[in-house]
Amino acid sequence: QAQLVESGGGSVQAGASLRLSCAASASIYSRHCMGWFRQAPGKEREAVAIISRGGRETYYADSVKGRFTISQDNAKNMAYLQMNSLKAEDTAMYYCAAGSAYFCVRPTQNDVDYWGQGTQVTVSS
C-alpha cells in the first residue's frame, strides 16, 4: 500500500532543533519528488521544502532558508527535514508529501499526489 509516515515532531523551546522523518513506500519514493508542507491554525497549507528525485535540487520557503535542510536516504526510502533555530512561527502541523512534475519545481498543495498523516511541531518562545 502506497503511504507516507512521518515521525519526529514534538514541543521545543525557541532556538532548539528537531528532525522530522518520513518513511515512504518504495512505489512512491522511486517515482516522486519528496517534500514537506506545514499548516498552522487559521492558515493555508504551505510548502516548506522539496527535494528532487536525484537529490540534486532543493526548494525552500523563504521563511526557512538557512535554518531547515531537507535530505533523503535512497537506501531506506526516507526523507528528512532538519529544523534548526526554531521559532514560534514555525509551530504547525508538518506533512510529508510526494509529487511529480510541477511539485518538483513549483510546489503547491494542488500538485501533491500523496500526503502523510502529519506530525505536530510546537515551538514556544
Side-chain angles (χ1 to χ4, degrees), residues 6-124:
E6 303 99 330
S7 61
S11 296
V12 298
Q13 296 284 327
S17 298
L18 279 175
R19 189 176 84 151
L20 305 183
S21 299
C22 175
S25 58
S27 61
I28 293 177
Y29 191 88
S30 63
R31 295 180 174 86
H32 297 82
C33 297
M34 302 295 296
W36 294 90
F37 281 66
R38 68 185 180 186
Q39 187 167 21
K43 295 187 177 181
E44 292 188 359
R45 195 171 296 191
E46 62 173 355
V48 175
I50 306 293
I51 189 166
S52 64
R53 285 175 56 194
R56 287 189 293 270
E57 297 179 350
T58 56
Y59 161 90
Y60 293 97
D62 288 342
S63 58
V64 306
K65 283 180 180 177
R67 300 187 298 121
F68 290 13
T69 303
I70 189 170
S71 62
Q72 60 189 22
D73 186 331
N74 294 332
K76 298 180 179 179
N77 295 341
M78 296 287 295
Y80 305 97
L81 185 67
Q82 178 67 43
M83 305 185 294
N84 298 329
S85 302
L86 282 162
K87 304 175 181 180
E89 50 263 44
D90 294 318
T91 295
M93 184 71 78
Y94 282 72
Y95 297 90
C96 182
S100 57
Y102 287 133
F103 177 94
C104 300
V105 296
R106 191 182 69 187
T108 74
Q109 57 178 323
N110 295 327
D111 303 310
V112 175
D113 293 327
Y114 298 94
W115 290 104
Q117 81 285 357
T119 185
Q120 179 67 38
V121 172
T122 302
V123 184
S124 57

